[in-house]
Amino acid sequence: MKICLCSDHGGLGLKKAVMKYLDDSGYEYKDFGCFSQDSCDYPDFAYPAAKALAKGEYDRGIFICSTGIGMSIVANKVKGVRCAHCHDVYCAEFTRRHNDANALAIGEKVVGEGYALEIVKVFLETEFEGGRHERRVGKISKIEDEEFK
């Protein structure tokens, strides 16, 4: 599984912890930035990562900022990205099972590092259930087709 990963300055610390988890777990990933604590604008990193995810260059994305909200807004502007903003393991599990979310947004200042890594683990390991949920995800795709002409 290939993962695209990004943060702004507010999520840099958690991104580094996620990168260590990904390294230790044998995941392949690309860090789209940011690379310092200097103030920066999250769309500059979220948009390229989301575009690469939507093109199929990556299987999943992890987007981190102070709250996760800004990153999720940007990622969800890209057709083909279903980015779930999750603060807990339950939501991470069920957004994969029921929504086939391909991206996770998380906030460094909202979730502690240890729990955040549990959320990432569950998000990456949980499979889409399909079945009745395929119909619903298909409806999301139809909305995207209509709105992103």
Side-chain angles (χ1 to χ4, degrees), residues 18-46:
V18 169
M19 289 168 62
K20 181 179 182 330
Y21 168 78
L22 296 174
D23 285 333
D24 291 348
S25 301
Y27 287 102
E28 180 181 345
Y29 66 90
K30 178 180 178 181
D31 180 1
F32 280 76
C34 78
F35 303 104
S36 79
Q37 289 287 344
D38 296 337
S39 182
C40 60
D41 300 327
Y42 56 85
D44 295 342
F45 308 101

Side-chain angles (χ1 to χ4, degrees), residues 4-6 32 42-58 60-63 71-83 102-103:
C4 59
L5 176 71
C6 65
F32 280 76
Y42 56 85
D44 295 342
F45 308 101
Y47 184 52
K51 281 178 46 176
L53 179 62
K55 287 181 186 175
E57 296 172 18
Y58 299 90
R60 304 266 173 85
I62 302 171
F63 296 75
M71 286 285 189
S72 68
I73 291 170
V74 174
N76 282 316
K77 296 295 182 192
V78 177
K79 181 179 178 179
V81 174
R82 288 179 306 285
C83 184
N102 56 1

